[in-house]
Amino acid sequence: MDLYAFCGSDLYTRIPRLLDSVRGAGDCRVTRERSKFVESHYLPASLPEIDLKVMRWATVDAILAAPPNLDELYLEKMHSLHHYQVMIDESGDGLSRVDRAVRRRSEDLATLLPHAFESYVKHAWGVAKQGLLRGESLIGSQLARRALDYLVLIEYMLNDAYPPPFKWRMHDSELTKLPRADLIRSVATALEFTDGVTLPERAERLRDLEGAMLADASASGILGRPTDSWWWKP
């Protein structure tokens, strides 16, 4: 269970010492200071494991003020803001920030979608050029995996959702919410775990997934999308 607490800068400077003094929360295994928050990991006697993370309001404001981008930390924080269940909000600051994140979602995703597609195109062209035309199969395979990552991002965005954190993005709890979950899972299995799959076959699986996504009516506004054939096909 992840619990987040937010506070002002004055209190934040005292958080490590305060966490050390917490009693009755179970065995505290780890307390660590990270770049954006302080985290303590507890093992209560009769509850699930708890990760308590304390963050400054200024950090949340910086995230909300940043222009939309494909950085993994940005995507993770924006996804979190859309899924927080506020338990206690003494000043109303939490609910107001969650509301700001929700209100900007559609506009942000519309901005991010062409960038994600451009990044996909760059890697897909690398599969064709480096991998297939130049015979560099190792590089082509690596680029195919990266290309798939961007297609997964695009699938979440086409369905009006911020992509979940990377470690959960392909988990059934998140992936099954998507209409092309089975196809994504099949392509990922072929690219990552199936022995004997050739690079041309990997490219063909990417082609199938891209074609299915671009047939979606929501994808009509993606800049640079091909109309009648794969522009990157060698």
Side-chain angles (χ1 to χ4, degrees), residues 31-190:
T31 294
R32 57 178 179 162
E33 293 188 59
R34 301 175 65 177
S35 61
K36 300 297 184 183
F37 55 84
V38 177
E39 179 178 17
S40 287
H41 183 73
Y42 297 92
L43 291 174
S46 58
L47 294 172
E49 296 181 25
I50 294 176
D51 278 329
L52 173 61
K53 303 172 184 179
V54 184
M55 188 182 301
R56 287 171 291 190
W57 284 123
T59 300
V60 181
D61 291 335
I63 295 168
L64 288 170
N69 61 86
L70 295 176
D71 179 81
E72 283 291 344
L73 285 176
Y74 176 83
L75 294 177
E76 177 178 341
K77 297 309 178 188
M78 289 302 291
H79 179 272
S80 296
L81 281 169
H82 281 80
H83 291 82
Y84 283 145
Q85 296 188 25
V86 180
M87 300 170 62
I88 301 173
D89 187 11
E90 294 179 344
S91 63
D93 288 337
L95 289 171
S96 67
R97 285 169 170 86
V98 169
D99 182 62
R100 284 170 59 194
V102 171
R103 282 189 284 111
R104 62 179 280 182
R105 181 180 66 236
S106 295
E107 182 179 350
D108 282 6
L109 294 179
T111 300
L112 288 174
L113 191 55
H115 294 292
F117 184 72
E118 183 178 358
S119 295
Y120 164 73
V121 160
K122 180 178 180 179
H123 290 84
W125 172 239
V127 174
K129 185 176 182 180
Q130 297 291 111
L132 299 180
L133 292 179
R134 296 181 178 174
E136 298 173 355
S137 58
L138 176 59
I139 295 174
S141 296
Q142 291 177 320
L143 289 168
R145 295 188 185 99
R146 292 289 302 276
L148 175 62
D149 290 342
Y150 284 107
L151 282 182
V152 174
L153 288 179
I154 291 169
E155 174 73 350
Y156 279 103
M157 293 179 193
L158 287 176
N159 288 278
D160 195 35
Y162 268 98
F166 185 80
K167 66 179 180 178
W168 295 108
R169 203 166 291 162
M170 297 290 286
H171 193 272
D172 282 349
S173 62
E174 298 289 346
L175 196 61
T176 52
K177 300 174 184 177
L178 303 176
R180 285 170 284 270
D182 289 342
L183 182 55
I184 290 173
R185 192 179 292 107
S186 173
V187 174
T189 299

Side-chain angles (χ1 to χ4, degrees), residues 198-216:
T198 66
L199 185 58
E201 290 171 330
R202 291 168 186 257
E204 188 68 22
R205 301 307 298 274
L206 281 176
R207 177 179 182 172
D208 292 343
L209 182 54
E210 181 190 325
M213 287 184 177
L214 294 183
D216 192 313

